[in-house]
């Protein structure tokens, strides 16, 4: 099954805490994880957050300024974002393809401005701000349940089938066959639901496979893996492993 590694933390940043929590069983078809990223104390320098491409959609709540929240996702390459010297974020990581972006569009990159959309993100953010991460999860669960009830988040049978057979996918043609779609149908469906063309979606899946297992399972050879990894993250695998925890 698809288990994205959505971020990497600098090994020297011991004062930065990253915590993940599983959703309840009835939401695991749409939510991958609930996340908290925060500093214990102000850092000596600005923190560079290395966000890995994972094709997921995030709802982000900035606990340092409850006016700031939003819906976002990354492109098919990693992004390094400066979070400053003190920060506190609580996020929901939705599985690829479940967010109904035709109804509520997503942005790319980190949310850094007050939210003015129709969802109650500011009210949720204010409610989160008075509680620790363990207590916050009940609020996040209730919010996701509301999104599901309003059909703003819907389980995606196409991506689910792809994830269930991820170890057997080596090309876009494999992906189309497993999804029981023609290449043209796959192109349209993936673009509509994930925002990715099949080729870029496959690149993200391969990178995630390489981060969790043997690279040769996802790439034709070692040199291809190194080239693709560097293109996606900006680092060779060796330099990335020395600098970051995933």
């Amino acid at each position: 099954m698809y288990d994205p590694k959505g971020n990497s933390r600098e090994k020297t940043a011991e004062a930065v805490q990253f915590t993940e929590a599983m959703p309840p069983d009835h939401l695991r078809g749409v939510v991958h994880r609930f996340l908290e990223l925060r500093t214990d104390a102000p850092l000596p320098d600005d923190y560079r957050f290395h966000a890995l491409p994972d094709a997921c959609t995030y709802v982000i709540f900035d606990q340092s300024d409850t006016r700031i929240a939003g819906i976002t996702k990354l492109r098919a390459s990693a992004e390094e974002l400066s979070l400053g010297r003190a920060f506190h974020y609580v996020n929901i990581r939705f599985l690829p393809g479940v967010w109904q972006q035709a109804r509520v569009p997503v942005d790319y990159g980190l949310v850094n401005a007050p939210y003015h959309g129709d969802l109650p993100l500011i009210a949720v953010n204010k409610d989160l701000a008075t509680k620790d991460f363990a207590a916050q999860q009940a609020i996040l669960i209730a919010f996701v349940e509301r999104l599901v009830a309003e059909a703003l988040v819907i389980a995606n049978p196409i991506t689910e089938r792809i994830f269930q057979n991820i170890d057997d996918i080596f090309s876009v043609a494999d992906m189309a066959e497993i999804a029981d779609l023609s290449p043209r149908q796959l192109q349209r469906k993936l673009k509509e639901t994930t925002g990715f063309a099949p080729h870029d979606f496959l690149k993200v899946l391969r990178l995630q496979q390489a981060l969790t297992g043997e690279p040769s399972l996802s790439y034709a050879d070692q040199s291809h893996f190194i080239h693709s990894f560097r293109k996606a993250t900006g680092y060779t695998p060796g330099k990335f492993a020395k600098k970051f925890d995933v």
Side-chain angles (χ1 to χ4, degrees):
M1 195 61 180
Y2 186 59
D3 186 19
K5 307 300 180 186
N7 79 99
S8 52
R9 195 186 79 167
E10 289 190 54
K11 291 182 176 179
T12 57
E14 295 180 359
V16 176
Q17 301 300 319
F18 179 81
T19 308
E20 292 186 310
M22 292 283 290
D25 289 346
H26 69 288
L27 295 181
R28 291 188 184 180
V30 294
V31 173
H32 177 257
R33 294 287 191 275
F34 299 124
L35 318 167
E36 182 184 45
L37 179 68
R38 62 179 175 83
T39 49
D40 290 333
L43 304 173
D45 300 298
D46 286 352
Y47 179 72
R48 303 293 296 180
F49 180 75
H50 196 74
L52 296 169
D54 61 13
C56 295
T57 297
Y58 290 77
V59 173
I60 298 178
F61 301 98
D62 186 345
Q63 294 283 273
S64 300
D65 184 343
T66 55
R67 300 171 303 162
I68 297 177
I71 306 103
T72 185
K73 65 181 177 182
L74 298 173
R75 302 182 190 274
S77 58
E79 295 185 28
E80 287 198 19
L81 309 164
S82 178
L83 302 187
R85 299 186 182 188
F87 48 84
H88 186 183
Y89 293 97
V90 174
N91 304 340
I92 306 170
R93 180 194 287 152
F94 288 96
L95 288 167
V98 305
W99 188 269
Q100 301 304 294
Q101 57 187 12
R103 295 185 60 190
V104 182
V106 300
D107 294 319
Y108 286 94
L110 185 69
V111 175
N112 57 7
Y115 179 71
H116 297 295
D118 296 329
L119 294 177
L121 299 190
I122 303 304
V124 172
N125 205 8
K126 289 179 178 178
D127 200 7
L128 292 170
T130 62
K131 300 170 178 66
D132 62 24
F133 186 51
Q136 287 173 338
Q137 290 168 50
I139 299 170
L140 299 175
I141 289 168
F143 176 62
V144 174
E145 289 173 340
R146 173 175 174 172
L147 295 176
V148 171
E150 295 178 1
L152 296 176
V153 173
I154 302 173
N156 188 321
I158 295 172
T159 53
E160 187 173 345
R161 189 178 299 176
I162 290 169
F163 299 152
Q164 288 173 345
N165 296 275
I166 193 170
D167 292 336
D168 299 319
I169 294 175
F170 301 96
S171 67
V172 171
D174 292 339
M175 192 184 298
E177 182 177 355
I178 284 170
D180 196 24
L181 297 170
S182 69
R184 178 172 291 185
Q185 288 173 320
L186 181 68
Q187 169 81 21
R188 180 172 58 83
K189 290 289 187 181
L190 278 185
K191 195 70 176 177
E192 283 178 357
T193 60
T194 72
F196 286 87
H199 178 71
D200 288 332
F201 194 65
L202 181 58
K203 285 197 300 184
V204 171
L205 297 186
R206 282 178 167 172
L207 174 64
Q208 289 292 336
Q209 283 177 292
L211 291 168
T212 57
E214 170 57 44
S216 61
L217 295 176
S218 306
Y219 293 85
D221 55 51
Q222 188 73 3
S223 62
H224 183 204
F225 163 64
I226 293 172
H227 173 76
S228 298
F229 190 94
R230 185 170 186 172
K231 186 174 181 180
T233 68
Y235 295 87
T236 63
K239 289 183 178 179
F240 185 90
K242 288 180 181 180
K243 185 174 177 64
F244 298 105
D245 283 321
V246 177

